[in-house]
Amino acid sequence: MASFSTANLSMVATMLLLGLLLVSLGKGAQSIGVCYGMLGNNLPDPQEVVNLYKSNNINRMRLYYPDDKAFSALKGSNIDVILDVRREELQAIASDKSAAAQWVEINIRRHWPDVKFRYITVGNEVIPTPSGDYSLAQYVHPAMENIHEAISSAGLQDSIKVSTAVLLGILGKSDPPSEGSFANEANNYMGPIVEFLARTGAPLLANVYPYFAYLGDPGVNLEFALFTSAPDGRSQYQNLFDSMVDALYSALEKAGGPNVKIVVSESGWPSLGDKGASKENAQTYNSNLIKHVPQGTPKRPGEIETYIFAMFNENNKDGGETEKNFGLFYPSKEPVYQINFS
């Protein structure tokens, strides 16, 4: 029987610890993607963008509409992709199964499996829109059903899940998180959507912005929004991100989806603009977000798949300086601030 010296045991222990560390770092990298917005007149070519993702170990991307140049650049990249259906197409796809089949044929089947689509987002922030408009909400569920049927006809239902992306404004109550619930009008639309998600095994996509909660509510502490609050021993919530996500989980439970997961399809912090917008705060928020999401929330421990908004500052975005300055990189591909994805 072999015997081990103290040095041998020390070496084994060190290797085990290193292995655990590498697993932990791997989980962090796997949890994070970045949104590729294109609302700028000075952005790099899509092939340069994909190369920038790869050189920064970013393995997941969200695209807000189909783009042939982006698809071409993504071929063989092994980057997982969320692809949105444009708002303008929702009504046609909801009312016509052939329109849904054509959308899937042109934008998914022609590029699969060279492009690794992960989710299709049917409607971004339409239940309601940021301005509180519900006029497109009626089309979301039937469009989801039709896109899912087309995906299933292609035999891709296990590889590509169909969902929609919501704002936290969908909640009528969010504090405390355990009492989170959908607003009355939103609930009219979310019932069948939650049932669809539960039936198909798809997650709900949510755009979660502690920054805007901080900006709009003087009672929100900056440190609480930035993941830098010291534990107070009184609350299980030490940051606003967890509180927001768990309020949405509570709403899903009340709507009949206790097992529906949440994917955070957008989250970020601006480096310029309104109150609290600075490079320092943006770096702090996004760095802490990357470290935090493998842990999960108090209500749902475990990895939260999360996409940072956004890859670039976009000078053609609607709104003021804040909206144009969420990017991790300038259009020159220089980082706005240093951040480590691995």
Side-chain angles (χ1 to χ4, degrees), residues 5-328:
S5 68
T6 302
N8 292 142
L9 291 171
S10 178
M11 182 179 294
V12 170
T14 300
M15 292 176 67
L16 285 170
L17 285 171
L18 180 60
L20 288 171
L21 177 60
L22 290 171
V23 169
S24 176
L25 289 172
K27 283 186 176 181
Q30 290 170 4
S31 304
I32 288 289
V34 179
C35 302
Y36 175 20
M38 299 182 184
L39 297 179
N41 61 12
N42 55 357
L43 298 178
D45 179 89
Q47 186 61 62
E48 296 179 62
V49 175
V50 169
N51 291 343
L52 191 61
Y53 269 71
K54 293 168 70 175
S55 66
N56 283 277
N57 299 310
I58 306 168
N59 300 315
R60 290 176 176 168
M61 173 189 290
R62 181 178 180 185
L63 283 174
Y64 289 91
Y65 50 82
D67 184 272
D68 285 339
K69 288 185 178 179
F71 292 156
S72 179
L74 283 163
K75 285 182 178 179
S77 68
N78 212 34
I79 292 173
D80 290 332
V81 178
I82 299 178
L83 179 62
D84 286 22
V85 175
R86 292 177 185 264
R87 287 183 181 181
E88 297 83 0
E89 297 177 281
L90 288 178
Q91 184 174 359
I93 289 173
S95 59
D96 185 355
K97 290 185 178 184
S98 65
Q102 183 179 33
W103 190 95
V104 168
E105 175 63 32
I106 293 171
N107 299 307
I108 302 296
R109 294 187 68 174
R110 287 184 184 177
H111 307 286
W112 177 272
D114 295 329
V115 179
K116 288 180 58 181
F117 297 105
R118 185 169 177 83
Y119 307 119
I120 298 172
T121 309
V122 180
N124 180 48
E125 300 180 353
V126 297
I127 313 174
T129 65
S131 63
D133 180 11
Y134 279 91
S135 61
L136 292 174
Q138 62 185 307
Y139 304 119
V140 174
H141 175 242
M144 290 171 72
E145 293 282 5
N146 288 346
I147 291 287
H148 176 70
E149 183 175 319
I151 287 290
S152 298
S153 295
L156 299 175
Q157 70 277 7
D158 293 330
S159 301
I160 305 171
K161 296 298 181 181
V162 178
S163 188
T164 189
V166 300
L167 281 170
L168 269 289
I170 198 170
L171 298 177
K173 186 171 185 179
S174 59
D175 188 33
S178 60
E179 295 184 20
S181 59
F182 293 123
N184 288 338
E185 189 165 3
N187 205 45
N188 295 330
Y189 303 103
M190 288 305 295
I193 289 173
V194 172
E195 185 278 329
F196 169 90
L197 298 174
R199 169 166 44 90
T200 62
L204 177 66
L205 274 55
N207 299 340
V208 180
Y209 284 99
Y211 173 75
F212 288 118
Y214 162 74
L215 184 64
D217 185 350
V220 174
N221 180 279
L222 179 61
E223 288 73 26
F224 190 58
L226 290 173
F227 297 94
T228 57
S229 291
D232 60 12
R234 297 190 302 272
S235 171
Q236 65 182 138
Y237 289 96
Q238 306 304 322
N239 64 79
L240 186 53
F241 178 87
D242 282 354
S243 177
M244 295 171 79
V245 172
D246 277 357
L248 188 54
Y249 267 125
S250 294
L252 283 170
E253 290 173 357
K254 292 178 178 65
N259 297 317
V260 173
K261 287 189 174 182
I262 291 170
V263 166
V264 175
S265 45
E266 290 182 16
S267 192
W269 197 281
S271 60
L272 184 69
D274 292 317
K275 181 183 76 167
S278 70
K279 290 182 182 180
E280 180 183 4
N281 286 343
Q283 182 183 39
T284 297
Y285 178 81
N286 284 324
S287 296
N288 286 336
L289 180 69
I290 290 169
K291 294 174 187 174
H292 179 74
V293 294
Q295 304 169 28
T297 69
K299 191 175 185 70
R300 295 288 180 93
E303 176 186 335
I304 312 168
E305 185 177 338
T306 298
Y307 294 75
I308 294 175
F309 186 87
M311 195 65 172
F312 299 104
N313 287 343
E314 298 171 70
N315 63 358
N316 283 346
K317 282 206 73 181
D318 291 337
E321 286 300 303
T322 300
E323 288 289 345
K324 303 177 196 297
N325 286 281
F326 271 86
L328 300 173

